[in-house]
Amino acid sequence: MSVFSPVDPLISIGGAVLYTIGGLNPQRITHASEARFPAHAIPSGLAYQKTGLGERSKTIEARTMPHVMGGMDAFALLELHHARQDTVPFIRMSKNFLGLSDGYCVIQALEYDEDKLHPYDGVGRVIDVTLGLLMLTAPSVLSLAGLYRGGR
């Protein structure tokens, strides 16, 4: 149980909410994407062909002090989504309950460090979590749900 009441949600990943104050607090978000441009040799040099976007990913670094701030509920949900390889919505929260959907994602990597283990329960006093999210495109989400099978 947290001493502070969680306020100002920042990110929701499949129901696991990361808060500004209280709970699991995001410290850094990194975005990465790539576009593919294969080269073809032609007499005057190289010609590049646009073949679309490649992988889009996000890395989120978060921290909590569970004995003071809570946050282990969100951490447990993230662990569950990772273990089950769930496809979940990624929503960036804003003021006045405005949420901006960034599509669906899967948790590709989950790392956590526990520092200064508490003698009472053995849980770290400070827990740092790093999530590697793979952002999915709409056809990928539909195919994972069994609704889209592509051309036959």
Side-chain angles (χ1 to χ4, degrees):
M1 186 67 185
S2 172
V3 173
F4 301 99
S5 175
V7 295
D8 294 337
L10 294 175
I11 300 171
S12 174
I13 304 169
V17 181
L18 284 64
Y19 290 99
T20 306
I21 299 174
L24 195 56
N25 175 254
Q27 303 288 309
R28 167 186 229 135
I29 300 174
T30 306
H31 307 272
S33 75
E34 62 180 30
R36 295 182 298 258
F37 297 96
H40 302 283
I42 58 173
S44 62
L46 289 176
Y48 294 94
Q49 178 184 1
K50 299 180 200 174
T51 60
L53 290 177
E55 182 177 286
R56 274 190 333 130
S57 63
K58 295 183 187 300
T59 302
I60 299 175
E61 296 174 10
R63 172 178 281 182
T64 188
M65 294 176 231
H67 299 93
V68 178
M69 307 293 277
M72 294 307 285
D73 53 347
F75 178 68
L77 270 174
L78 293 171
E79 273 190 318
L80 180 67
H81 289 315
H82 176 63
R84 291 175 37 183
Q85 299 178 351
D86 290 336
T87 300
V88 294
F90 181 87
I91 302 171
R92 293 287 300 260
M93 308 300 280
S94 185
K95 293 289 184 192
N96 299 324
F97 302 103
L98 176 65
L100 304 172
S101 176
D102 198 8
Y104 288 87
C105 66
V106 291
I107 301 174
Q108 189 175 29
L110 173 70
E111 300 175 20
Y112 64 95
D113 297 321
E114 296 183 52
D115 292 332
K116 303 175 182 143
L117 300 180
H118 196 284
Y120 179 71
D121 59 6
V123 176
R125 289 188 172 111
V126 177
I127 298 179
D128 292 313
V129 180
T130 303
L131 296 170
L133 304 177
L134 181 62
M135 304 306 292
L136 303 176
T137 58
S140 296
V141 172
L142 294 176
S143 64
L144 287 173
L147 301 173
Y148 177 80
R149 302 200 188 274
R152 292 185 187 240

